[in-house]
Amino acid sequence: MYAQMIKTARSGIKTRDEMTDRERAFQDKIDADIKIEPRDWMPDDYRMTLIRQIGQHAHSEVVGQLPEGNWITRAPTLERKAILLAKVQDEAGHGLYLYSAAETLGESRDELVRLLHEGRMKYSSIFNYPTLNWADIGAVGWLVDGAAIVNQVALQRTSYGPYSRAMVRICKEESFHARQGYHAIMKMAFGTPAQKKMAQDALNRLWFPAMMMFGPHDSESTHSEQSMAWKIKVKSNDELRQQFVDQTIPQIEYLGLDLPDPDITWNAARGHYDFSDPDWDEFMDVIRGNGPCNVDRMKDRVKAWEDGAWVRDGLLAHARKRARVAAE
Amino acid sequence: MKNEWPLWEVFIRGQHGLSHRHVGSLHAPDADMAIKNARDVYTRRNEGVSIWVVEARHIAATAPGDKGPLFEPSESKVYRHPTFFDIPEDVGHM
């Protein structure tokens, strides 16, 4: 997941009459569920919107390593440590798949990274919340990766071939992430009263931030219409959020934990759970850079990039020297 | 000189004796590092037994616009498929 508030590069949708022949042929392909591939003709706005969305998605995978990496050395057992290490390594891989997909659109990875570090691109709001204790690590896998799966399963049907293929690969790995998180939370929920209390506290704190991952209400999501017409987005924010709530409530009940939102009730008429909104003012504030961890996340990200510069440059210098010697 | 690592395309042979198949791409300073990185990124779950990497700029490809002239002619040649020929059941499996 992890793409929120993506501005579509144009406003409003063109009617068929307003489209050029090429645009009409392009829309016909989309409507017929034919994937768009890198060298196919595409409208500039389609390309720009995809670069923004895939880029933000990639940044989220990479920044998402930070709150969890924080706990690798403090995992409660060697097994949990190995599992968390494997999960965090997966996130780096997911970032790579997504940057690669963005690169097929003509934007280099280094350029996307530069835009992130300059604050001109964003990552998901969820990673601006802290992971205060071990229960949070379980809850992140369960809820955050769980929410990501809901979004990414839908995106497997996205219209751009390389993005869709990256999603298929990521979904296969993401299921491990959610299950290891739920497993860790199960241990605590079924453990001592103190452990159960920690599990409850983690659920309470992360529930609404997880709900925000799907972005604002459809009625507020002004850029969705064109993205849906181009099938860059396949399901709406509210549809995905409802799906997440519906699948997660029984999981909370199984753990014997209290629901994190007193308004959650089964609505038989709708066939879905009713629930209350997260605090959208808080969401907007976090997006604007004022969440609890925004500053630290970017500081750590930029530091990692700068500290790694000598390794990147050294390896490249070595490769160039070897190529030169081989040519002589 | 630009200090961006070149792009490599990665091909993996799966477990079951199939051909190498394109799985994705990555950046690396040279072929050795590309293979090491491909191993770390694309074979973490027993996906393969052999890796090929090739620098992306060395790949030649057909142009999307040539799809019609290149591939449509084969659509009308149904006699190239075994199912085109009705063989009486009496002849047995063929």
Side-chain angles (χ1 to χ4, degrees):
Chain A
M1 158 159 287
Y2 307 144
Q4 299 158 319
M5 316 269 296
I6 299 298
K7 278 199 180 111
T8 303
R10 66 188 312 280
S11 53
I13 299 182
K14 282 189 190 174
T15 64
R16 282 190 76 80
D17 292 340
E18 291 166 337
M19 291 180 191
T20 63
D21 287 347
R22 278 206 298 200
E23 286 170 340
R24 250 193 308 274
F26 176 82
Q27 189 63 50
D28 288 344
K29 269 172 86 173
I30 301 263
D31 294 343
D33 283 329
I34 297 171
K35 296 278 185 236
I36 308 302
E37 294 295 342
R39 300 205 303 157
D40 292 345
W41 183 86
M42 62 188 82
D44 288 342
D45 294 339
Y46 175 83
R47 182 188 302 275
M48 283 313 302
T49 307
L50 269 176
I51 290 172
R52 282 182 200 157
Q53 175 161 335
I54 300 173
Q56 191 185 109
H57 197 153
H59 297 329
S60 299
E61 300 285 355
V62 172
V63 176
Q65 294 179 103
L66 296 171
E68 292 183 297
N70 187 33
W71 281 89
I72 289 172
T73 55
R74 289 178 279 168
T77 67
L78 184 58
E79 186 182 59
R80 291 285 173 201
K81 178 175 178 168
I83 292 167
L84 184 57
L85 197 55
K87 178 189 189 295
V88 172
Q89 189 190 15
D90 276 353
E91 305 298 358
H94 295 181
L96 173 73
Y97 309 153
L98 287 158
Y99 284 127
S100 299
E103 282 184 300
T104 63
L105 293 159
E107 187 78 315
S108 82
R109 184 174 73 186
D110 284 10
E111 174 65 7
L112 289 170
V113 169
R114 191 176 65 80
L115 291 171
L116 172 70
H117 291 178
E118 288 177 1
R120 291 161 62 194
M121 282 185 85
K122 299 207 182 298
Y123 52 89
S124 175
S125 57
I126 187 72
F127 300 118
N128 292 314
Y129 289 86
T131 44
L132 301 176
N133 57 45
W134 179 253
D136 286 13
I137 295 300
V140 164
W142 168 33
L143 300 172
V144 175
D145 290 77
I149 290 171
V150 167
N151 186 55
Q152 292 175 152
V153 164
L155 281 175
Q156 291 181 95
R157 292 186 287 116
T158 191
S159 60
Y160 187 56
Y163 192 26
S164 156
R165 292 190 285 274
M167 284 301 109
V168 170
R169 206 181 159 81
I170 286 175
C171 283
K172 276 187 203 157
E173 301 182 347
E174 203 85 68
S175 162
F176 147 62
H177 298 178
R179 290 172 68 118
Q180 66 82 33
Y182 193 69
H183 194 259
I185 282 284
M186 267 168 60
K187 274 269 183 250
M188 301 192 76
F190 299 142
T192 65
Q195 284 176 311
K196 186 172 181 183
K197 204 173 151 209
M198 281 175 74
Q200 182 72 57
D201 168 64
L203 170 61
N204 293 351
R205 276 185 293 106
L206 285 163
W207 175 255
F208 285 111
M211 302 275 281
M212 294 174 190
M213 291 172 64
F214 299 96
H217 281 303
D218 297 347
S219 53
E220 308 287 319
S221 183
T222 44
H223 306 293
S224 288
E225 203 185 359
Q226 179 64 72
S227 283
M228 299 278 283
W230 277 332
K231 295 187 186 167
I232 290 175
K233 272 175 92 159
V234 181
K235 285 190 179 177
S236 79
N237 297 354
D238 285 330
E239 269 181 284
L240 292 166
R241 188 166 17 244
Q242 181 72 61
Q243 197 182 328
F244 171 70
V245 172
D246 289 348
Q247 76 177 37
T248 308
I249 302 304
Q251 296 166 359
I252 298 173
E253 287 169 343
Y254 178 81
L255 295 171
L257 297 179
D258 297 332
L259 296 175
D261 162 10
D263 293 338
I264 293 173
T265 42
W266 176 251
N267 183 329
R270 288 202 309 128
H272 293 290
Y273 285 95
D274 289 338
F275 54 92
S276 54
D277 270 343
D279 179 346
W280 291 118
D281 292 336
E282 176 185 318
F283 171 71
M284 290 310 299
D285 209 35
V286 174
I287 292 272
R288 275 193 292 266
N290 303 320
C293 300
N294 295 57
V295 174
D296 282 346
R297 297 292 185 242
M298 283 314 295
K299 199 179 75 196
D300 291 346
R301 204 38 241 141
V302 171
K303 181 178 185 314
W305 177 256
E306 286 174 356
D307 287 355
W310 70 274
V311 180
R312 293 192 300 275
D313 293 347
L315 284 168
L316 192 63
H318 179 67
R320 281 175 180 156
K321 183 177 146 192
R322 278 206 348 192
R324 203 168 53 239
V325 170
E328 277 164 12
Chain B
M1 199 183 290
K2 234 170 86 174
N3 268 2
E4 203 161 316
W5 288 350
L7 186 68
W8 299 75
E9 298 301 331
V10 180
F11 301 81
I12 305 267
R13 184 199 296 288
Q15 302 283 354
H16 305 293
L18 301 172
S19 315
H20 285 76
R21 184 162 166 259
H22 183 243
V23 293
S25 46
L26 50 78
H27 288 271
D30 59 25
D32 288 347
M33 285 300 295
I35 287 174
K36 285 195 175 78
N37 290 349
R39 178 255 181 202
D40 284 349
V41 179
Y42 291 109
T43 66
R44 290 200 303 279
R45 290 180 173 82
N46 295 321
E47 287 97 333
V49 294
S50 165
I51 299 172
W52 289 352
V53 294
V54 60
E55 218 183 309
R57 67 189 171 96
H58 294 309
I59 292 180
T62 58
D66 293 342
K67 206 167 80 185
L70 285 174
F71 306 116
E72 271 168 23
S74 78
E75 283 173 18
S76 58
K77 297 177 179 54
V78 286
Y79 47 83
R80 286 181 173 166
H81 297 277
T83 46
F84 180 73
F85 305 94
D86 285 329
I87 305 290
E89 265 181 40
D90 296 347
V91 178
H93 177 73
M94 184 177 284

